[in-house]
């Protein structure tokens, strides 16, 4: 759940997304030309009743709790006995080498 301009963005189960889109309360959330699969954008969310917005957020929270946990990314390891990484040598620019006047 989050805000994008004046829209409330919520991640909801499919049945709830379909219902909200069908009744005209929400639209699919499209960002940079890409439709975000499980998200809908609720237009003018800041002008809606607080209880209505709270219901959307509770529904989104309950849906998120049903999703599987993210897998942790594998850590990159150095091969044993590897030398520490060294910074590449950069030549000093001509300006830096000039004596101050």
């Amino acid at each position: 759940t989050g805000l994008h301009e004046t829209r409330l963005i919520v991640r909801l189960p499919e049945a709830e997304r379909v219902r909200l889109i069908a009744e005209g309360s929400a639209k699919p959330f499209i960002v940079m030309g890409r439709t975000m699969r499980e998200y809908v954008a609720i237009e003018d969310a800041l002008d809606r009743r607080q209880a209505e917005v709270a219901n959307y957020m509770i529904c989104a929270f309950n849906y998120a709790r049903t999703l599987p946990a993210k897998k942790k990314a594998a850590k990159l390891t150095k091969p044993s006995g590897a030398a520490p990484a060294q910074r590449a040598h950069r030549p000093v620019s001509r300006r830096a080498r000039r004596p101050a006047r």
Side-chain angles (χ1 to χ4, degrees), residues 69-80:
K70 286 186 175 182
K71 295 178 183 175
K72 291 187 177 184
K75 290 185 177 181
L76 296 176
T77 58
K78 292 182 187 177
S80 60

Side-chain angles (χ1 to χ4, degrees), residues 23-81:
E23 69 183 26
S25 295
K27 296 179 181 178
F29 180 48
I30 301 171
V31 64
M32 295 179 64
R34 180 173 177 227
T35 302
M36 303 304 286
R37 191 175 48 207
E38 296 181 318
Y39 294 85
V40 293
I42 299 167
E43 298 292 331
D44 298 319
L46 300 175
D47 296 334
R48 295 181 184 243
R49 291 186 344 240
Q50 190 174 8
E52 184 181 0
V53 173
N55 285 336
Y56 294 136
M57 295 178 77
I58 290 168
C59 185
F61 177 76
N62 289 334
Y63 176 61
R65 291 180 65 185
T66 67
L67 299 173
K70 286 186 175 182
K71 295 178 183 175
K72 291 187 177 184
K75 290 185 177 181
L76 296 176
T77 58
K78 292 182 187 177
S80 60

